[in-house]
Amino acid sequence: MEALRKASGVPGMSVVIVEDGKTVLARGYGVRKLGGTVKVDADTIFPTGSTGKAFTVAALATLVDAGRISWDDKVTDRLPGFQMYDPWVTREMTIRDLLVHRSGLGLGEGDLMFVPRSSLSRAETVRRIRFLKPATSFRSGYAYDNVLYAVAGQLIEAVTGQTWEDYTREHVLRPAGMQHSTTDSPARFAATDRAFPHARTDGPIRGAGTQATLDERDELGRNAAPAGGMAISANDFGRWIEVQLAHGALPNGKRLFSEAAHDEMWKPAVLQPVSPRSAALKPTEPMFETYALGWDVKDYHGAKIVSHGGAVLGFQSVVALLPEKNVGFAVEINSEDGEILLGLTYELLDHYLGLPANNWPEKFAAYKKDRLAGAAKVLDAPAAQPAKVGPSLPAERYAGSYVDPWYGRIAVGAKGGALTIDFTSTPRMSGRLEHWQYDTFVTRFDDKAIEPAYVTFGLDADGHVDRVTMKPVNPVVDFSWDYQDLHFALEGPAR
Protein backbone atom coordinates (compact mmCIF):
# COMPACT_ATOMS: atom_id res chain seq x y z
CA MET A 1 0.00 0.00 0.00
CA GLU A 2 2.83 2.40 0.79
CA ALA A 3 4.50 1.63 -2.54
CA LEU A 4 1.22 2.34 -4.35
CA ARG A 5 0.75 5.60 -2.46
CA LYS A 6 4.21 6.80 -3.42
CA ALA A 7 3.81 5.72 -7.05
CA SER A 8 0.51 7.59 -7.40
CA GLY A 9 1.81 10.76 -5.76
CA VAL A 10 -0.85 10.73 -3.04
CA PRO A 11 0.41 12.72 -0.01
CA GLY A 12 -1.51 10.76 2.61
CA MET A 13 -3.77 7.74 2.88
CA SER A 14 -5.51 5.63 5.49
CA VAL A 15 -6.79 2.08 5.19
CA VAL A 16 -8.97 -0.04 7.47
CA ILE A 17 -9.96 -3.69 7.01
CA VAL A 18 -12.56 -5.57 9.05
CA GLU A 19 -12.76 -9.38 9.08
CA ASP A 20 -15.43 -11.35 10.95
CA GLY A 21 -16.51 -8.42 13.08
CA LYS A 22 -13.02 -7.28 14.08
CA THR A 23 -10.71 -4.59 12.72
CA VAL A 24 -7.55 -6.38 11.59
CA LEU A 25 -5.82 -3.40 9.98
CA ALA A 26 -6.17 0.34 10.63
CA ARG A 27 -3.18 2.29 9.44
CA GLY A 28 -2.07 5.60 8.02
CA TYR A 29 0.42 6.12 5.22
CA GLY A 30 2.24 9.26 4.14
CA VAL A 31 1.68 12.74 5.53
CA ARG A 32 -1.29 14.88 6.44
CA LYS A 33 -0.03 17.79 4.35
CA LEU A 34 2.28 17.94 1.33
CA GLY A 35 5.72 19.16 2.34
CA GLY A 36 5.05 18.42 6.00
CA THR A 37 6.43 15.73 8.25
CA VAL A 38 3.41 14.90 10.42
CA LYS A 39 2.32 11.37 9.52
CA VAL A 40 -1.17 10.12 8.85
CA ASP A 41 -2.27 7.68 11.55
CA ALA A 42 -5.36 5.57 12.19
CA ASP A 43 -7.10 8.48 13.95
CA THR A 44 -6.44 11.10 11.25
CA ILE A 45 -9.78 12.36 9.96
CA PHE A 46 -10.40 12.80 6.23
CA PRO A 47 -13.48 14.42 4.63
CA THR A 48 -15.18 11.46 2.96
CA GLY A 49 -17.75 12.92 0.58
CA SER A 50 -20.71 10.80 -0.44
CA THR A 51 -19.82 7.83 1.75
CA GLY A 52 -21.67 10.02 4.26
CA LYS A 53 -25.01 9.38 2.56
CA ALA A 54 -25.24 6.06 4.41
CA PHE A 55 -24.91 7.93 7.71
CA THR A 56 -27.84 10.18 6.81
CA VAL A 57 -29.79 7.02 6.02
CA ALA A 58 -28.78 5.54 9.39
CA ALA A 59 -29.97 8.71 11.13
CA LEU A 60 -33.33 8.35 9.38
CA ALA A 61 -33.39 4.66 10.34
CA THR A 62 -33.23 5.56 14.03
CA LEU A 63 -36.33 7.70 13.51
CA VAL A 64 -38.07 4.88 11.64
CA ASP A 65 -37.25 2.49 14.48
CA ALA A 66 -38.63 5.02 16.97
CA GLY A 67 -41.90 5.21 15.02
CA ARG A 68 -41.46 8.91 14.26
CA ILE A 69 -41.32 8.47 10.47
CA SER A 70 -41.58 5.71 7.88
CA TRP A 71 -39.53 5.28 4.72
CA ASP A 72 -42.61 5.84 2.57
CA ASP A 73 -43.98 8.90 4.33
CA LYS A 74 -44.71 11.77 1.97
CA VAL A 75 -41.98 14.38 2.33
CA THR A 76 -44.54 17.20 2.56
CA ASP A 77 -46.11 15.49 5.61
CA ARG A 78 -42.80 15.75 7.47
CA LEU A 79 -41.34 18.88 5.86
CA PRO A 80 -44.17 21.32 5.13
CA GLY A 81 -43.35 23.77 2.35
CA PHE A 82 -41.12 21.36 0.42
CA GLN A 83 -41.66 21.62 -3.34
CA MET A 84 -40.32 20.05 -6.50
CA TYR A 85 -40.75 21.70 -9.92
CA ASP A 86 -43.81 19.58 -10.69
CA PRO A 87 -46.76 19.76 -8.25
CA TRP A 88 -47.62 16.08 -8.71
CA VAL A 89 -44.04 15.03 -7.91
CA THR A 90 -44.16 17.30 -4.86
CA ARG A 91 -47.24 15.49 -3.59
CA GLU A 92 -45.91 11.99 -4.32
CA MET A 93 -42.26 12.34 -3.23
CA THR A 94 -41.47 10.04 -0.29
CA ILE A 95 -38.54 9.91 2.09
CA ARG A 96 -37.35 6.83 0.21
CA ASP A 97 -37.45 8.80 -3.05
CA LEU A 98 -35.10 11.39 -1.55
CA LEU A 99 -32.45 8.69 -1.06
CA VAL A 100 -32.38 6.61 -4.26
CA HIS A 101 -31.80 9.03 -7.19
CA ARG A 102 -35.05 8.48 -9.09
CA SER A 103 -36.60 11.95 -8.70
CA GLY A 104 -36.29 12.95 -12.37
CA LEU A 105 -33.54 15.50 -11.71
CA GLY A 106 -30.53 15.36 -14.02
CA LEU A 107 -27.12 14.05 -13.02
CA GLY A 108 -25.72 16.35 -10.33
CA GLU A 109 -28.37 18.96 -11.05
CA GLY A 110 -28.26 21.81 -8.57
CA ASP A 111 -24.80 20.97 -7.22
CA LEU A 112 -23.52 24.48 -7.93
CA MET A 113 -25.62 25.55 -4.94
CA PHE A 114 -22.84 24.07 -2.80
CA VAL A 115 -19.89 23.41 -5.15
CA PRO A 116 -17.23 24.63 -4.65
CA ARG A 117 -18.67 26.32 -1.53
CA SER A 118 -21.75 28.33 -0.63
CA SER A 119 -23.25 31.13 1.43
CA LEU A 120 -26.73 29.57 1.23
CA SER A 121 -28.41 28.04 4.26
CA ARG A 122 -29.73 24.50 4.04
CA ALA A 123 -33.30 25.76 4.32
CA GLU A 124 -32.77 28.19 1.44
CA THR A 125 -31.15 25.46 -0.65
CA VAL A 126 -34.16 23.21 -0.08
CA ARG A 127 -36.49 26.09 -1.03
CA ARG A 128 -34.67 26.62 -4.34
CA ILE A 129 -35.05 22.97 -5.40
CA ARG A 130 -38.54 23.86 -6.67
CA PHE A 131 -36.85 25.73 -9.55
CA LEU A 132 -34.82 22.73 -10.79
CA LYS A 133 -36.47 21.52 -13.99
CA PRO A 134 -36.66 17.72 -14.30
CA ALA A 135 -34.59 15.94 -16.91
CA THR A 136 -36.81 12.82 -16.95
CA SER A 137 -40.12 11.75 -15.52
CA PHE A 138 -40.49 10.83 -11.85
CA ARG A 139 -39.29 7.31 -10.87
CA SER A 140 -38.51 6.43 -14.50
CA GLY A 141 -34.76 6.00 -14.12
CA TYR A 142 -31.56 6.67 -12.23
CA ALA A 143 -29.59 9.93 -12.09
CA TYR A 144 -27.29 10.59 -9.15
CA ASP A 145 -28.01 13.76 -7.18
CA ASN A 146 -26.91 15.40 -3.95
CA VAL A 147 -29.48 18.10 -3.34
CA LEU A 148 -32.22 15.71 -2.20
CA TYR A 149 -29.99 14.47 0.60
CA ALA A 150 -29.94 18.09 1.75
CA VAL A 151 -33.73 17.77 1.90
CA ALA A 152 -33.34 14.60 3.99
CA GLY A 153 -31.11 16.51 6.39
CA GLN A 154 -33.62 19.33 6.66
CA LEU A 155 -36.38 16.78 7.26
CA ILE A 156 -34.41 15.33 10.18
CA GLU A 157 -34.28 18.81 11.69
CA ALA A 158 -38.00 19.33 11.14
CA VAL A 159 -38.85 16.04 12.87
CA THR A 160 -36.35 16.18 15.76
CA GLY A 161 -35.68 19.87 16.35
CA GLN A 162 -31.95 19.13 16.02
CA THR A 163 -29.76 19.98 13.07
CA TRP A 164 -28.58 17.10 10.90
CA GLU A 165 -25.09 17.70 12.30
CA ASP A 166 -26.14 17.37 15.95
CA TYR A 167 -28.59 14.52 15.46
CA THR A 168 -26.21 12.41 13.36
CA ARG A 169 -23.36 12.95 15.81
CA GLU A 170 -25.45 12.09 18.88
CA HIS A 171 -27.57 9.26 17.47
CA VAL A 172 -25.22 7.61 14.96
CA LEU A 173 -21.54 8.43 15.42
CA ARG A 174 -21.21 8.36 19.19
CA PRO A 175 -23.38 5.26 19.79
CA ALA A 176 -21.33 3.47 17.08
CA GLY A 177 -18.13 4.33 18.99
CA MET A 178 -16.90 6.79 16.35
CA GLN A 179 -15.22 9.23 18.72
CA HIS A 180 -12.95 11.16 16.36
CA SER A 181 -15.24 11.71 13.37
CA THR A 182 -17.07 14.98 12.80
CA THR A 183 -20.26 16.22 11.18
CA ASP A 184 -19.49 19.94 11.15
CA SER A 185 -16.70 22.31 10.21
CA PRO A 186 -15.83 23.76 13.64
CA ALA A 187 -15.21 20.30 15.07
CA ARG A 188 -13.21 19.24 12.03
CA PHE A 189 -10.97 22.30 12.08
CA ALA A 190 -10.53 22.00 15.86
CA ALA A 191 -9.10 18.50 15.39
CA THR A 192 -5.32 18.63 15.21
CA ASP A 193 -5.17 15.15 13.68
CA ARG A 194 -6.75 16.01 10.33
CA ALA A 195 -5.68 15.63 6.71
CA PHE A 196 -5.33 18.59 4.34
CA PRO A 197 -6.71 18.71 0.76
CA HIS A 198 -4.58 18.40 -2.38
CA ALA A 199 -5.23 18.42 -6.13
CA ARG A 200 -3.51 18.79 -9.49
CA THR A 201 -4.91 22.06 -10.80
CA ASP A 202 -2.04 23.62 -12.76
CA GLY A 203 -2.26 21.42 -15.86
CA PRO A 204 -4.37 21.87 -18.99
CA ILE A 205 -7.21 20.05 -17.20
CA ARG A 206 -7.76 19.12 -13.58
CA GLY A 207 -5.87 15.99 -12.60
CA ALA A 208 -3.04 16.38 -15.10
CA GLY A 209 -0.79 18.82 -13.27
CA THR A 210 1.41 18.88 -10.18
CA GLN A 211 0.09 17.98 -6.74
CA ALA A 212 -0.50 21.08 -4.60
CA THR A 213 -2.16 21.83 -1.27
CA LEU A 214 -5.57 23.50 -1.46
CA ASP A 215 -7.01 25.98 1.02
CA GLU A 216 -8.89 23.78 3.49
CA ARG A 217 -11.39 26.60 4.10
CA ASP A 218 -12.66 25.95 0.60
CA GLU A 219 -14.75 22.99 1.64
CA LEU A 220 -18.06 22.19 0.01
CA GLY A 221 -21.01 24.21 1.26
CA ARG A 222 -22.37 22.98 4.58
CA ASN A 223 -25.86 23.35 3.14
CA ALA A 224 -25.37 19.96 1.46
CA ALA A 225 -23.52 18.26 4.35
CA PRO A 226 -26.13 15.45 4.64
CA ALA A 227 -25.00 14.37 1.15
CA GLY A 228 -21.37 14.11 2.18
CA GLY A 229 -20.08 16.52 4.82
CA MET A 230 -18.43 14.20 7.32
CA ALA A 231 -14.79 13.65 8.25
CA ILE A 232 -13.88 10.14 9.40
CA SER A 233 -10.76 8.34 10.61
CA ALA A 234 -9.65 4.82 9.72
CA ASN A 235 -10.38 3.55 13.24
CA ASP A 236 -13.87 5.06 13.15
CA PHE A 237 -14.55 3.70 9.67
CA GLY A 238 -13.67 0.29 11.11
CA ARG A 239 -16.36 0.69 13.77
CA TRP A 240 -18.87 1.76 11.12
CA ILE A 241 -18.06 -1.27 8.98
CA GLU A 242 -18.41 -3.55 12.02
CA VAL A 243 -21.91 -2.14 12.65
CA GLN A 244 -22.89 -2.55 9.01
CA LEU A 245 -21.72 -6.16 8.80
CA ALA A 246 -23.54 -6.86 12.10
CA HIS A 247 -26.78 -5.48 10.59
CA GLY A 248 -26.98 -2.66 13.14
CA ALA A 249 -25.93 -4.59 16.24
CA LEU A 250 -23.40 -2.95 18.58
CA PRO A 251 -20.66 -4.70 20.60
CA ASN A 252 -22.46 -3.80 23.87
CA GLY A 253 -25.52 -5.83 22.87
CA LYS A 254 -27.59 -2.81 21.91
CA ARG A 255 -28.53 -1.80 18.38
CA LEU A 256 -27.78 1.29 16.35
CA PHE A 257 -30.68 0.39 14.05
CA SER A 258 -32.97 -2.61 13.67
CA GLU A 259 -32.57 -5.65 11.47
CA ALA A 260 -35.59 -4.43 9.50
CA ALA A 261 -33.91 -1.07 8.91
CA HIS A 262 -30.75 -2.84 7.78
CA ASP A 263 -32.75 -4.88 5.27
CA GLU A 264 -34.17 -1.67 3.81
CA MET A 265 -30.72 -0.06 3.58
CA TRP A 266 -29.27 -2.82 1.41
CA LYS A 267 -32.42 -3.60 -0.61
CA PRO A 268 -31.96 -2.48 -4.25
CA ALA A 269 -34.42 0.23 -5.24
CA VAL A 270 -33.24 1.50 -8.64
CA LEU A 271 -31.29 -0.11 -11.47
CA GLN A 272 -28.21 1.84 -12.51
CA PRO A 273 -26.97 1.78 -16.10
CA VAL A 274 -23.74 -0.22 -16.28
CA SER A 275 -21.01 1.76 -18.01
CA PRO A 276 -18.93 -0.33 -20.45
CA ARG A 277 -15.35 -0.83 -19.27
CA SER A 278 -12.21 -0.73 -21.35
CA ALA A 279 -10.69 -4.07 -22.36
CA ALA A 280 -8.15 -3.98 -19.51
CA LEU A 281 -10.86 -3.23 -16.94
CA LYS A 282 -13.56 -5.49 -18.42
CA PRO A 283 -13.37 -8.01 -15.54
CA THR A 284 -14.55 -5.27 -13.15
CA GLU A 285 -17.77 -4.70 -15.12
CA PRO A 286 -20.74 -5.98 -13.10
CA MET A 287 -23.65 -7.90 -14.56
CA PHE A 288 -25.95 -5.54 -12.68
CA GLU A 289 -25.64 -2.48 -10.47
CA THR A 290 -28.34 -0.96 -8.29
CA TYR A 291 -28.80 1.79 -5.76
CA ALA A 292 -30.30 1.10 -2.36
CA LEU A 293 -30.64 3.53 0.57
CA GLY A 294 -27.31 5.34 0.53
CA TRP A 295 -25.44 2.31 -0.86
CA ASP A 296 -24.49 0.91 -4.26
CA VAL A 297 -25.32 -2.80 -4.49
CA LYS A 298 -23.83 -4.83 -7.34
CA ASP A 299 -22.27 -8.16 -8.20
CA TYR A 300 -18.59 -8.91 -8.72
CA HIS A 301 -17.76 -12.40 -10.00
CA GLY A 302 -21.03 -13.62 -8.50
CA ALA A 303 -20.49 -12.01 -5.09
CA LYS A 304 -22.68 -9.27 -3.63
CA ILE A 305 -20.81 -6.00 -3.09
CA VAL A 306 -22.26 -3.18 -0.99
CA SER A 307 -20.18 -0.04 -1.42
CA HIS A 308 -20.02 3.70 -1.96
CA GLY A 309 -17.40 6.17 -3.10
CA GLY A 310 -16.97 9.74 -2.01
CA ALA A 311 -15.21 12.85 -3.25
CA VAL A 312 -14.95 16.45 -2.11
CA LEU A 313 -12.43 19.03 -3.25
CA GLY A 314 -9.01 17.59 -2.43
CA PHE A 315 -10.16 14.28 -0.94
CA GLN A 316 -11.52 10.92 -2.10
CA SER A 317 -12.66 7.79 -0.30
CA VAL A 318 -14.33 4.42 -0.76
CA VAL A 319 -16.00 1.95 1.59
CA ALA A 320 -16.80 -1.59 0.41
CA LEU A 321 -18.51 -4.52 2.10
CA LEU A 322 -18.39 -8.17 1.07
CA PRO A 323 -21.23 -9.59 3.20
CA GLU A 324 -20.85 -13.26 2.27
CA LYS A 325 -17.26 -13.18 3.53
CA ASN A 326 -18.12 -10.92 6.51
CA VAL A 327 -15.42 -8.52 5.32
CA GLY A 328 -15.33 -4.79 4.73
CA PHE A 329 -12.74 -2.11 4.15
CA ALA A 330 -12.32 1.62 3.57
CA VAL A 331 -9.61 3.66 1.89
CA GLU A 332 -9.21 7.44 2.23
CA ILE A 333 -6.79 9.80 0.47
CA ASN A 334 -6.06 13.51 0.77
CA SER A 335 -5.92 14.10 -2.97
CA GLU A 336 -8.03 13.48 -6.08
CA ASP A 337 -6.05 10.52 -7.47
CA GLY A 338 -8.95 8.10 -7.46
CA GLU A 339 -7.14 5.40 -9.42
CA ILE A 340 -5.44 4.21 -6.22
CA LEU A 341 -8.86 3.81 -4.53
CA LEU A 342 -10.22 1.73 -7.40
CA GLY A 343 -7.04 -0.27 -7.72
CA LEU A 344 -6.93 -1.15 -4.02
CA THR A 345 -10.67 -1.90 -3.96
CA TYR A 346 -10.39 -4.57 -6.63
CA GLU A 347 -7.09 -5.91 -5.26
CA LEU A 348 -8.79 -6.48 -1.90
CA LEU A 349 -11.98 -7.91 -3.42
CA ASP A 350 -9.93 -10.35 -5.48
CA HIS A 351 -7.94 -11.34 -2.40
CA TYR A 352 -11.03 -12.14 -0.32
CA LEU A 353 -12.79 -13.90 -3.19
CA GLY A 354 -9.73 -16.04 -3.96
CA LEU A 355 -9.31 -14.64 -7.47
CA PRO A 356 -5.96 -14.35 -9.26
CA ALA A 357 -4.00 -11.14 -8.82
CA ASN A 358 -4.71 -8.72 -11.66
CA ASN A 359 -2.52 -5.70 -10.93
CA TRP A 360 -5.55 -3.41 -10.75
CA PRO A 361 -3.73 -0.31 -9.46
CA GLU A 362 -1.50 -0.24 -12.53
CA LYS A 363 -4.46 -0.78 -14.87
CA PHE A 364 -6.57 1.97 -13.31
CA ALA A 365 -3.60 4.34 -13.39
CA ALA A 366 -3.18 3.62 -17.11
CA TYR A 367 -6.89 4.19 -17.67
CA LYS A 368 -6.73 7.58 -15.95
CA LYS A 369 -3.69 8.58 -17.99
CA ASP A 370 -5.46 7.66 -21.24
CA ARG A 371 -8.63 9.48 -20.18
CA LEU A 372 -6.81 12.71 -19.37
CA ALA A 373 -4.79 12.48 -22.57
CA GLY A 374 -8.01 12.01 -24.55
CA ALA A 375 -9.58 15.06 -22.89
CA ALA A 376 -6.51 17.17 -23.62
CA LYS A 377 -6.62 16.02 -27.24
CA VAL A 378 -10.23 17.15 -27.53
CA LEU A 379 -9.33 20.59 -26.20
CA ASP A 380 -6.38 20.86 -28.62
CA ALA A 381 -8.27 19.63 -31.68
CA PRO A 382 -8.79 22.12 -34.54
CA ALA A 383 -12.54 21.95 -34.04
CA ALA A 384 -12.08 23.14 -30.45
CA GLN A 385 -10.11 26.23 -31.40
CA PRO A 386 -12.07 29.48 -31.20
CA ALA A 387 -13.25 31.36 -34.26
CA LYS A 388 -11.72 34.79 -34.47
CA VAL A 389 -15.11 36.47 -34.50
CA GLY A 390 -16.69 38.85 -32.00
CA PRO A 391 -17.53 40.04 -29.52
CA SER A 392 -20.64 41.76 -30.90
CA LEU A 393 -20.77 44.52 -28.30
CA PRO A 394 -18.41 46.74 -26.29
CA ALA A 395 -17.63 45.38 -22.83
CA GLU A 396 -19.97 47.70 -20.94
CA ARG A 397 -22.95 46.36 -22.92
CA TYR A 398 -22.44 42.93 -21.34
CA ALA A 399 -22.13 44.25 -17.80
CA GLY A 400 -25.09 43.75 -15.53
CA SER A 401 -26.82 41.52 -13.02
CA TYR A 402 -28.23 38.18 -14.21
CA VAL A 403 -30.39 35.77 -12.23
CA ASP A 404 -30.95 32.03 -12.48
CA PRO A 405 -34.03 30.77 -10.59
CA TRP A 406 -32.21 28.10 -8.56
CA TYR A 407 -28.63 29.34 -8.36
CA GLY A 408 -29.27 33.02 -7.82
CA ARG A 409 -27.31 35.97 -9.14
CA ILE A 410 -24.12 36.56 -11.09
CA ALA A 411 -22.66 40.04 -11.46
CA VAL A 412 -20.82 40.87 -14.67
CA GLY A 413 -18.68 43.98 -14.46
CA ALA A 414 -16.80 46.04 -17.05
CA LYS A 415 -13.73 48.17 -16.48
CA GLY A 416 -11.19 49.41 -19.00
CA GLY A 417 -12.71 47.29 -21.75
CA ALA A 418 -12.37 44.05 -19.72
CA LEU A 419 -15.11 41.94 -18.14
CA THR A 420 -15.31 40.34 -14.70
CA ILE A 421 -17.76 37.81 -13.24
CA ASP A 422 -18.84 37.09 -9.66
CA PHE A 423 -21.03 34.13 -8.63
CA THR A 424 -22.60 35.90 -5.68
CA SER A 425 -23.97 32.83 -3.86
CA THR A 426 -20.49 31.29 -3.87
CA PRO A 427 -17.76 33.00 -1.82
CA ARG A 428 -14.58 33.74 -3.80
CA MET A 429 -15.97 32.39 -7.08
CA SER A 430 -14.99 35.39 -9.16
CA GLY A 431 -12.47 36.43 -11.77
CA ARG A 432 -12.00 37.66 -15.32
CA LEU A 433 -13.99 36.85 -18.44
CA GLU A 434 -11.69 36.36 -21.41
CA HIS A 435 -13.18 36.52 -24.89
CA TRP A 436 -13.36 33.12 -26.62
CA GLN A 437 -15.45 33.51 -29.78
CA TYR A 438 -18.61 35.26 -30.96
CA ASP A 439 -20.40 36.32 -27.73
CA THR A 440 -18.84 33.53 -25.67
CA PHE A 441 -16.24 34.17 -23.00
CA VAL A 442 -14.26 31.81 -20.76
CA THR A 443 -13.90 32.27 -17.02
CA ARG A 444 -10.45 32.86 -15.53
CA PHE A 445 -11.22 32.47 -11.85
CA ASP A 446 -8.92 33.93 -9.23
CA ASP A 447 -9.18 30.57 -7.43
CA LYS A 448 -7.45 28.16 -9.82
CA ALA A 449 -9.11 25.18 -8.14
CA ILE A 450 -12.48 26.17 -9.64
CA GLU A 451 -13.32 24.49 -12.93
CA PRO A 452 -13.60 27.03 -15.78
CA ALA A 453 -16.76 27.56 -17.83
CA TYR A 454 -17.74 28.96 -21.20
CA VAL A 455 -20.12 31.89 -20.65
CA THR A 456 -22.36 32.76 -23.61
CA PHE A 457 -24.36 35.97 -23.77
CA GLY A 458 -27.59 35.85 -25.78
CA LEU A 459 -28.91 38.90 -27.61
CA ASP A 460 -32.49 39.85 -28.28
CA ALA A 461 -33.79 41.12 -31.63
CA ASP A 462 -32.62 44.64 -30.81
CA GLY A 463 -29.05 43.54 -30.08
CA HIS A 464 -29.36 43.82 -26.31
CA VAL A 465 -28.07 41.11 -23.95
CA ASP A 466 -31.00 39.41 -22.23
CA ARG A 467 -29.70 35.97 -21.17
CA VAL A 468 -26.58 34.01 -20.24
CA THR A 469 -25.89 30.28 -20.54
CA MET A 470 -22.83 28.27 -19.59
CA LYS A 471 -21.07 24.93 -20.01
CA PRO A 472 -17.89 23.40 -18.55
CA VAL A 473 -14.63 23.75 -20.47
CA ASN A 474 -13.22 20.42 -19.28
CA PRO A 475 -14.80 17.54 -21.28
CA VAL A 476 -14.25 15.09 -18.38
CA VAL A 477 -15.20 17.46 -15.57
CA ASP A 478 -16.90 16.09 -12.46
CA PHE A 479 -20.68 16.21 -12.86
CA SER A 480 -21.11 18.52 -9.86
CA TRP A 481 -19.86 21.44 -11.96
CA ASP A 482 -23.31 21.61 -13.59
CA TYR A 483 -22.86 24.90 -15.44
CA GLN A 484 -25.05 23.56 -18.26
CA ASP A 485 -28.09 23.62 -15.94
CA LEU A 486 -27.84 27.39 -15.45
CA HIS A 487 -30.06 29.76 -17.44
CA PHE A 488 -29.60 33.37 -16.39
CA ALA A 489 -31.94 36.20 -17.35
CA LEU A 490 -31.03 39.87 -17.29
CA GLU A 491 -31.99 41.59 -14.07
CA GLY A 492 -30.39 44.94 -14.95
CA PRO A 493 -29.10 47.16 -16.42
CA ALA A 494 -26.88 45.95 -19.40
CA ARG A 495 -28.60 47.80 -22.27
Side-chain angles (χ1 to χ4, degrees):
M1 290 181 182
E2 176 63 3
L4 288 173
R5 182 196 67 79
K6 288 181 176 178
S8 63
V10 170
M13 177 174 75
S14 72
V15 181
V16 62
I17 300 175
V18 174
E19 297 176 352
D20 296 322
K22 294 183 179 180
T23 297
V24 296
L25 174 83
R27 188 176 300 171
Y29 304 86
V31 293
R32 300 179 199 167
K33 187 176 183 180
L34 191 67
T37 59
V38 182
K39 302 290 186 181
V40 174
D41 59 39
D43 289 323
T44 302
I45 57 172
F46 290 70
T48 61
S50 288
T51 63
K53 287 181 168 65
F55 290 86
T56 296
V57 170
L60 291 166
T62 66
L63 296 174
V64 172
D65 287 342
R68 301 180 71 177
I69 64 171
S70 73
W71 298 113
D72 295 309
D73 281 349
K74 300 293 175 61
V75 174
T76 52
D77 290 341
R78 301 300 182 183
L79 186 62
F82 167 76
Q83 288 184 43
M84 296 291 284
Y85 188 84
D86 183 281
W88 182 81
V89 176
T90 299
R91 292 193 300 271
E92 295 300 312
M93 179 79 70
T94 66
I95 294 174
R96 190 187 304 272
D97 289 320
L98 295 177
L99 309 174
V100 298
H101 311 302
R102 64 184 182 191
S103 68
L105 293 177
L107 174 64
E109 188 174 353
D111 280 3
L112 279 170
M113 282 194 281
F114 63 91
V115 174
R117 42 194 171 264
S118 181
S119 58
L120 300 178
S121 67
R122 189 167 301 144
E124 175 61 15
T125 302
V126 170
R127 188 192 71 82
R128 294 186 183 193
I129 288 173
R130 68 192 65 191
F131 302 117
L132 292 170
K133 294 183 179 181
T136 62
S137 57
F138 185 45
R139 295 178 183 157
S140 66
Y142 171 89
Y144 193 86
D145 73 76
N146 288 297
V147 292
L148 293 182
Y149 270 80
V151 178
Q154 195 68 14
L155 185 145
I156 288 172
E157 182 172 346
V159 171
T160 68
Q162 290 184 282
T163 64
W164 170 87
E165 287 82 355
D166 290 345
Y167 188 87
T168 303
R169 181 179 61 253
E170 294 174 16
H171 294 269
V172 180
L173 296 189
R174 298 304 177 252
M178 301 173 67
Q179 299 302 321
H180 295 90
S181 301
T182 65
T183 57
D184 58 31
S185 298
R188 175 189 158 207
F189 292 136
T192 56
D193 195 355
R194 69 182 188 274
F196 288 76
H198 303 85
R200 305 174 189 274
T201 61
D202 63 344
I205 54 175
R206 193 183 190 100
T210 304
Q211 199 81 268
T213 305
L214 303 180
D215 188 339
E216 68 172 351
R217 298 172 304 161
D218 292 341
E219 60 175 352
L220 296 183
R222 297 303 306 175
N223 47 343
M230 300 179 62
I232 304 175
S233 68
N235 275 331
D236 281 358
F237 245 141
R239 295 181 180 96
W240 174 242
I241 292 169
E242 290 169 14
V243 171
Q244 286 292 325
L245 292 173
H247 297 187
L250 297 170
N252 61 9
K254 297 180 180 180
R255 298 194 70 90
L256 184 63
F257 47 80
S258 66
E259 185 80 34
H262 162 266
D263 291 344
E264 293 290 339
M265 290 175 181
W266 289 7
K267 183 169 69 177
V270 181
L271 276 173
Q272 297 187 44
V274 175
S275 302
R277 308 295 199 266
S278 66
L281 301 179
K282 197 69 175 177
T284 68
E285 186 176 307
M287 290 187 289
F288 67 88
E289 187 165 4
T290 69
Y291 202 86
L293 301 187
W295 291 99
D296 292 298
V297 180
K298 63 183 179 182
D299 78 291
Y300 179 65
H301 290 274
K304 178 180 180 180
I305 307 298
V306 181
S307 65
H308 212 293
V312 293
L313 300 178
F315 297 95
Q316 291 192 10
S317 62
V318 67
V319 57
L321 311 173
L322 190 54
E324 69 180 58
K325 300 293 185 181
N326 203 19
V327 163
F329 56 85
V331 184
E332 306 171 271
I333 59 174
N334 59 353
S335 70
E336 299 178 356
D337 304 284
E339 67 273 14
I340 190 172
L341 296 181
L342 293 166
L344 279 174
T345 294
Y346 285 100
E347 287 281 306
L348 288 167
L349 290 177
D350 285 356
H351 168 74
Y352 286 107
L353 291 172
L355 298 172
N358 219 325
N359 202 8
W360 292 120
E362 181 178 304
K363 290 179 178 179
F364 277 103
Y367 171 76
K368 177 188 176 181
K369 183 179 179 181
D370 290 345
R371 185 168 179 261
L372 291 176
K377 188 175 181 180
V378 169
L379 291 175
D380 289 339
Q385 302 312 303
K388 295 180 180 180
V389 180
S392 303
L393 305 171
E396 59 271 15
R397 295 277 300 280
Y398 296 99
S401 178
Y402 302 85
V403 176
D404 174 85
W406 62 264
Y407 173 79
R409 182 175 291 102
I410 58 169
V412 177
K415 186 176 182 180
L419 290 175
T420 60
I421 189 168
D422 183 7
F423 288 70
T424 62
S425 294
T426 310
R428 302 184 305 285
M429 190 171 175
S430 58
R432 297 180 296 109
L433 283 178
E434 183 179 289
H435 183 250
W436 183 249
Q437 63 180 0
Y438 305 108
D439 289 306
T440 295
F441 297 74
V442 64
T443 58
R444 302 300 184 196
F445 290 115
D446 297 334
D447 180 355
K448 305 306 180 187
I450 299 178
E451 288 282 357
Y454 293 118
V455 178
T456 300
F457 294 85
L459 309 184
D460 63 18
D462 296 319
H464 297 139
V465 177
D466 67 352
R467 62 194 182 278
V468 176
T469 57
M470 302 185 187
K471 72 173 185 177
V473 172
N474 182 354
V476 292
V477 70
D478 184 272
F479 62 77
S480 285
W481 299 96
D482 65 320
Y483 292 113
Q484 71 282 353
D485 294 323
L486 297 168
H487 296 86
F488 292 93
L490 176 68
E491 185 179 45
R495 307 298 280 180

